[in-house]
Amino acid sequence: AVIVDTGMNTELGNIADLIQGVEQEQTPLQRRLDHLGKILAAAALVIIALVVVLGRIRGEAWEDLFLVGISMAVAAVPEGLPAVVAITLALGAQRMLKRNALIRRLPAVETLGSVTVICSDKTGTLTQNRMTVKLLDVVGRTQDIETLVNSKGIVLDAELDAEQPPEERTLSLLIKAGALCNDAIMETDDDGVERTIGDPTEGALIAAAAELGYTKAMLEDQLPRVGEVPFTSERKRMTTIHEASVGRPLMEEEFREVPYVAFSKGATDSLLEVCDQIWTGDSFESIEGEMGDRIIEANARQAQLGQRVLGVAFRALEELPEKPSAENIESNMIFVGLVSMIDPPRPEVKGAVATARTAGVRPVMITGDHPLTAQYIAKDLTITDNDRNLTGQKLSQMTVDDLEQVVDDVSVYARVSPEHKLNIVEALQDTGQVVAMTGDGVNDAPALKKADIGVAMGITGTDVSKEAADMVLLDDNFATIVSAIEEGRTIFDNIRKFIKYTLSSNTGELFVMLIAPFLGMPLPLVAAQILWINLVTDGLPGLALAMEESEKGIMKRPPWNPKESIFSRGMGWRIIWIGILMGIVSLGIGYVYWLDDPDGVWQTMVFTTLVLAQMGNALAIRSNTESVFKIGLFSNRLMVLAIATTFLLQLMLIYVPLMQRFFSTEALSLRDLTIALVVSTVVFIAVEIEKWIRRVRNRSKNKQ
């Protein structure tokens, strides 16, 4: 090895520099919760100020006002929110793991629900990554590989016969060159089954050669490799150099005396740039004009059928360069022919793409393949319905600002190098999209980190790409991304349900605390009771809400706009009216009892009714639209357990002497407890009626 640079001056150092330059932005949930925190803090300050002002007007003591103000601030802040959000995300990550999506950063779980664009690689993610050679194309002949294997009239012997038809000799050289310019290997497992190890494309080439009698081991014995110019994404080709003097029987008659031969394979358009002749089997002809046009047409024809097409070329070398490089090897080459192979789409991907589009998520294909191949697969999977695409050559000439003008209309990017992915992500984000980006290579790491959701491949991905990603696909499957998006939406829905539940409860507490003084009543709830409601009564059902299943039609609605408030889509006013109703019901029953006996159990009645009303609220908001009786009272057993546990704990607070002293409660008679239970169901019934009205309206809209 010759070391020319180290550290940050190397290509890996450049990638590391790009990764460090990418700032990790807040997720939509983090931004929403920050916004919520500011709103609640402002609300608490306003409420405290209001209580103090009104109290001073009534002539109350500063000590009493301080206690009331602190109680109100406690009532306004949902103390259990951080814990419930963290547990909800963790449970969601656990469910995603069962669907082959490994979450590496917990906040990313919810971000999936806001994804609007999925930028996916083609090979292995949209397709099966199981390449099979289908056609060989040389001058004057296009040959199906199966026909060639099974044909009695065509024999591609290891020893070439000068009397063989020229096209057969060229087919033979094409097969051998593809197997030699190749880093894949074939081995036999314990069961005697042969399998290829390495890149699937290269594996397909050596498998095809083996079917025709050319094992890679035999070829390398006859033509040992003595040098190479590795593949790069910029050149899109690789070249190997072999000692030809050993393998004279395998070489063509015209260049058997040459000491070395270089074989090159890669993208046809890239290979044509370094070729000036074509081998016809018995002569060399200029690649300019008709011959070159024929190669380009054949390449386009096969690519339009969704096949990956590789060109193969060779060059005879009189001597071996001291340092083989693209500059001193890949020039004046002789084109041999084309190899077409197919990587069929995964059977489940078409349905996953349709689901994504229905959910308002636009799939985008980014691949290093030929644009026509990419276009064919993209149309077959309904990723695109037009012929628009951008190639790496065009992307290299475009700035991010230029890209922003077209990214909303282009769904296929071909011949793309990993460096272009970063620009595509940035352009999409600048137009307001929430982007999930897949990648597997070291060079993909900056784009994975820049994307809102970086998705690394678990099977083919490098350690660097996995480290930069938020999520790892254990099966390298596009359908898994769509499943994860559905799970992300469910998680965000459940977090919203908890916020709606806890804030409506807090609104009820604030209503009770604010209105009671205007009715001439003492403080209805003490600080310990408020903390009990916020931590236990809110917390247990809140955790149960995290286990709710997906809402009906969750993947038939558009994704959440990341700029959308946590209170959007009607949640804000639902929190207010449910909270006010809860406060009216609780304070109302307490007021009646207070008028009857100011020294009686009225405060315990307010406390108990409020807690029981929250339980009804938790049951009712399990679904945003469907009745709890339709989804099943026991479909979420954790919710039933949470409500039962909370009810039993509340009974302990009422009837256990130690708890009575600590929480300032008094024992209720069976009659009083029954009244509190019956009155509290008003909230449950009201929420169910409101959902029924919404269902009726939605059906009316759908009919129109």
Side-chain angles (χ1 to χ4, degrees):
V2 178
I3 299 172
V4 294
D5 265 316
T6 60
M8 297 302 288
N9 295 323
T10 63
E11 283 302 311
L12 282 176
N14 181 48
I15 293 167
D17 190 48
L18 284 173
I19 294 174
Q20 291 170 3
V22 176
E23 294 183 6
Q24 199 76 34
E25 297 182 0
Q26 283 187 314
T27 68
L29 178 63
Q30 289 170 328
R31 290 194 291 268
R32 290 181 178 117
L33 291 181
D34 280 353
H35 179 64
L36 175 62
K38 291 174 183 176
I39 290 175
L40 292 176
L45 290 173
V46 169
I47 289 166
I48 292 171
L50 183 63
V51 168
V52 170
V53 170
L54 292 175
R56 290 303 296 167
I57 291 173
R58 292 198 306 271
E60 294 183 14
W62 281 108
E63 292 80 3
D64 295 335
L65 290 176
F66 177 78
L67 180 61
V68 173
I70 293 299
S71 300
M72 300 287 278
V74 170
V77 177
E79 290 85 357
L81 180 60
V84 170
V85 168
I87 292 170
T88 302
L89 294 176
L91 291 172
Q94 191 177 43
R95 289 199 297 269
M96 286 185 184
L97 185 59
K98 294 177 181 177
R99 303 175 81 165
N100 291 317
L102 173 64
I103 299 298
R104 296 192 66 257
R105 294 184 178 87
L106 207 54
V109 173
E110 176 275 332
T111 308
L112 283 160
S114 300
V115 166
T116 58
V117 176
I118 304 173
C119 295
S120 174
D121 190 15
K122 178 179 78 68
T123 304
T125 308
L126 296 172
T127 60
Q128 297 178 28
N129 201 20
R130 186 167 48 82
M131 302 298 294
T132 305
V133 174
K134 301 297 288 184
L135 289 174
L136 303 175
D137 189 290
V138 296
V139 175
R141 186 171 204 143
T142 299
Q143 182 67 62
D144 181 89
I145 193 74
E146 290 185 21
T147 304
L148 192 60
V149 170
N150 299 324
S151 174
K152 303 291 185 182
I154 299 177
V155 179
L156 298 181
D157 292 325
E159 296 238 6
L160 287 171
D161 187 345
E163 296 182 1
Q164 270 185 296
E167 63 270 16
E168 290 184 19
R169 297 173 65 201
T170 311
L171 285 170
S172 177
L173 181 60
L174 179 61
I175 282 290
K176 289 182 295 189
L180 284 165
C181 184
N182 197 308
D183 289 327
I185 60 173
M186 183 172 283
E187 66 173 25
T188 304
D189 61 21
D190 296 337
D191 298 325
V193 178
E194 288 188 332
R195 61 191 183 95
T196 59
I197 298 176
D199 180 80
T201 300
E202 294 194 323
L205 291 172
I206 63 172
E211 286 187 282
L212 293 168
Y214 297 128
T215 65
K216 188 177 182 185
M218 178 197 74
L219 291 171
E220 289 186 334
D221 284 343
Q222 294 292 318
L223 295 163
R225 185 189 295 193
V226 292
E228 66 177 295
V229 183
F231 174 88
T232 65
S233 56
E234 291 77 22
R235 289 166 36 250
K236 292 185 171 54
R237 59 181 179 265
M238 74 172 286
T239 300
T240 56
I241 306 168
H242 301 263
E243 188 177 342
S245 57
V246 180
R248 302 211 186 281
L250 294 177
M251 299 304 296
E252 304 297 335
E253 194 71 37
E254 283 73 11
F255 49 90
R256 278 187 177 175
E257 302 305 322
V258 178
Y260 301 101
V261 62
F263 294 118
S264 187
K265 77 173 192 307
T268 307
D269 47 358
S270 169
L271 205 56
L272 287 174
E273 293 174 4
V274 295
C275 291
D276 54 16
Q277 289 182 304
I278 184 169
W279 172 242
T280 65
D282 56 5
S283 64
F284 301 101
E285 296 189 21
S286 172
I287 206 164
E288 299 294 330
E290 184 181 343
M291 285 296 183
D293 292 342
R294 186 191 179 283
I295 294 169
I296 294 171
E297 288 171 8
N299 182 69
R301 183 171 60 252
Q302 300 308 321
Q304 284 174 336
L305 296 175
Q307 297 183 6
R308 173 177 287 184
V309 186
L310 291 180
V312 175
F314 72 89
R315 178 187 175 187
L317 298 173
E318 293 292 342
E319 59 182 8
L320 182 66
E322 184 178 342
K323 274 185 65 177
S325 66
E327 289 73 22
N328 58 30
I329 298 295
E330 294 178 346
S331 61
N332 303 316
M333 301 199 81
I334 301 165
F335 199 86
V336 179
L338 303 172
V339 181
S340 300
M341 54 193 78
I342 189 74
D343 181 12
R346 289 178 180 262
E348 67 274 16
V349 166
K350 196 164 189 175
V353 169
T355 300
R357 294 179 74 91
T358 303
V361 181
R362 182 166 70 98
V364 172
M365 178 191 289
I366 301 179
T367 178
D369 277 358
H370 191 282
L372 292 176
T373 305
Q375 199 76 37
Y376 178 89
I377 298 293
K379 280 190 172 181
D380 183 47
L381 295 174
T382 67
I383 289 174
T384 185
D385 54 5
N386 58 49
D387 293 324
R388 294 201 64 184
N389 63 70
L390 279 177
T391 63
Q393 186 178 10
K394 293 177 182 176
L395 287 169
S396 298
Q397 301 167 0
M398 300 174 73
T399 64
V400 173
D401 291 337
D402 296 332
L403 261 177
E404 289 175 18
Q405 309 303 315
V406 297
V407 285
D408 288 337
D409 300 320
V410 178
S411 296
V412 178
Y413 298 86
R415 290 282 187 256
V416 172
S417 65
E419 289 79 4
H420 294 135
K421 287 188 175 184
L422 190 60
N423 290 342
I424 295 171
V425 171
E426 191 174 344
L428 285 166
Q429 289 176 329
D430 289 346
T431 59
Q433 306 294 336
V434 179
V435 184
M437 167 69 78
T438 69
D440 56 9
V442 173
N443 288 354
D444 292 330
L448 292 177
K449 190 171 182 181
K450 176 67 177 173
D452 299 279
I453 292 288
V455 183
M457 302 296 109
I459 299 173
T460 60
T462 60
D463 289 341
V464 175
S465 65
K466 293 174 186 176
E467 183 64 29
D470 303 291
M471 181 173 80
V472 178
L473 300 183
L474 300 182
D475 57 359
D476 291 11
N477 194 339
F478 177 87
T480 302
I481 305 175
V482 179
S483 298
I485 287 174
E486 180 181 356
E487 197 65 55
R489 291 188 175 191
T490 301
I491 289 162
F492 184 57
D493 275 3
N494 290 345
I495 290 173
R496 275 174 54 93
K497 287 172 187 175
F498 171 74
I499 291 172
K500 180 165 67 173
Y501 166 66
T502 189
L503 291 187
S504 58
S505 300
N506 290 6
T507 302
E509 295 170 52
L510 292 172
F511 182 88
V512 167
M513 299 290 286
L514 275 175
I515 301 301
F518 290 99
L519 299 177
M521 299 171 67
L523 201 63
L525 299 171
V526 299
Q529 291 172 347
I530 293 172
L531 281 173
W532 174 264
I533 292 172
N534 282 19
L535 293 176
V536 179
T537 311
D538 286 356
L540 291 178
L543 290 175
L545 286 172
M547 299 302 294
E548 285 297 328
E549 297 295 326
S550 300
E551 291 272 348
K552 182 181 178 181
I554 195 170
M555 292 299 281
K556 293 183 179 178
R557 69 188 192 203
W560 290 93
N561 189 320
K563 296 180 181 178
E564 211 167 346
S565 167
I566 197 81
F567 299 111
S568 64
R569 305 193 187 188
M571 194 173 92
W573 76 267
R574 289 189 193 102
I575 288 172
I576 293 171
W577 80 256
I578 293 172
I580 290 175
L581 177 63
M582 201 178 295
I584 290 172
V585 167
S586 305
L587 189 59
I589 194 69
Y591 184 67
V592 171
Y593 271 71
W594 178 74
L595 288 176
D596 182 60
D597 182 6
D599 297 321
V601 297
W602 69 271
Q603 193 176 51
T604 304
M605 284 296 290
V606 172
F607 178 39
T608 304
T609 304
L610 189 58
V611 168
L612 295 176
Q614 284 184 264
M615 297 303 98
N617 185 31
L619 269 179
I621 66 171
R622 284 180 52 202
S623 173
N624 292 319
T625 54
E626 297 296 332
S627 168
V628 69
F629 299 107
K630 184 173 181 179
I631 64 174
L633 277 170
F634 297 96
S635 59
N636 185 346
R637 294 180 181 178
L638 188 61
M639 177 62 77
V640 176
L641 180 63
I643 290 175
T645 303
T646 305
F647 181 71
L648 291 174
L649 290 172
Q650 185 66 22
L651 293 181
M652 288 177 61
L653 265 62
I654 298 171
Y655 297 110
V656 175
L658 179 63
M659 295 293 200
Q660 287 176 340
R661 288 194 297 273
F662 189 81
F663 287 96
S664 304
T665 59
E666 297 179 48
L668 297 177
S669 67
L670 181 60
R671 171 180 169 274
D672 292 339
L673 183 62
T674 303
I675 290 173
L677 186 60
V678 171
V679 171
S680 69
T681 60
V682 170
V683 175
F684 173 79
I685 294 169
V687 175
E688 283 293 315
I689 290 173
E690 188 264 345
K691 289 194 294 183
W692 174 76
I693 292 171
R694 269 192 288 150
R695 288 197 300 272
V696 171
R697 286 178 178 173
N698 289 338
R699 281 197 291 266
S700 299
K701 286 181 182 178
N702 292 336
K703 286 180 181 179
Q704 293 174 0

